[in-house]
Amino acid sequence: QVQLVESGGRLVQAGGSLRLSCTASGRTFSSYLMGWFRQAPGEEREFVAAITWSSSSTYYADSVKGRFTISRDNAKNAVYLQMNSLKPEDTSVYYCAAQGRPYSSMWYRLSEYEYWGQGTQVTVSS
């Protein structure tokens, strides 16, 4: 059974930093694009960042560009999201996701994300 488990979310003050982790089990994701999404109460799930299987390319939402960094460690079957200069509007549940098609670079195609974690809450206080 494939599982993605996020961790690292917590309450932090504006301007602070957090590092989210996502560890996969049940399948090796070293050949698959992985991403982070977030969803605030009453809002739709939105794309945050994605990274190709080889880490050769990364993609970010405009709202987080320059503040967040996505990375991965294929040996650990894990993906990370370093979040700096956090703002209250970054408050959301953050989800890790993995695509089901190997060697894909279609980070923008939501339907390509086949596996999802349960989410981790990030709350940024002003």
Side-chain angles (χ1 to χ4, degrees):
Q1 182 180 356
V2 176
Q3 274 194 312
L4 300 179
V5 179
E6 303 95 336
S7 62
R10 61 176 177 86
L11 173 65
V12 64
Q13 286 192 331
S17 297
L18 280 178
R19 187 188 193 220
L20 304 184
S21 299
C22 171
T23 302
S25 61
R27 182 177 185 175
T28 299
F29 284 99
S30 58
S31 302
Y32 298 84
L33 185 145
M34 298 188 74
W36 287 94
F37 291 75
R38 66 187 182 186
Q39 188 169 18
E43 302 288 333
E44 291 191 356
R45 190 167 298 189
E46 64 173 358
F47 169 79
V48 175
I51 185 167
T52 54
W53 66 276
S54 62
S55 301
S56 60
S57 296
T58 56
Y59 309 92
Y60 297 94
D62 288 343
S63 58
V64 308
K65 206 170 290 184
R67 300 188 298 123
F68 290 11
T69 302
I70 188 170
S71 61
R72 66 189 297 164
D73 185 338
N74 286 340
K76 295 182 178 179
N77 220 19
V79 65
Y80 309 98
L81 186 68
Q82 177 67 42
M83 305 188 295
N84 299 329
S85 303
L86 283 161
K87 304 176 181 180
E89 51 264 42
D90 293 319
T91 295
S92 278
V93 177
Y94 283 72
Y95 297 90
C96 169
Q99 293 199 344
R101 191 193 308 265
Y103 309 116
S104 170
S105 59
M106 290 184 288
W107 58 271
Y108 49 87
R109 192 167 290 178
L110 186 62
S111 61
E112 292 289 320
Y113 292 89
E114 188 171 334
Y115 305 98
W116 293 85
Q118 299 276 28
T120 185
Q121 176 70 47
V122 172
T123 303
V124 184
S125 64
S126 57

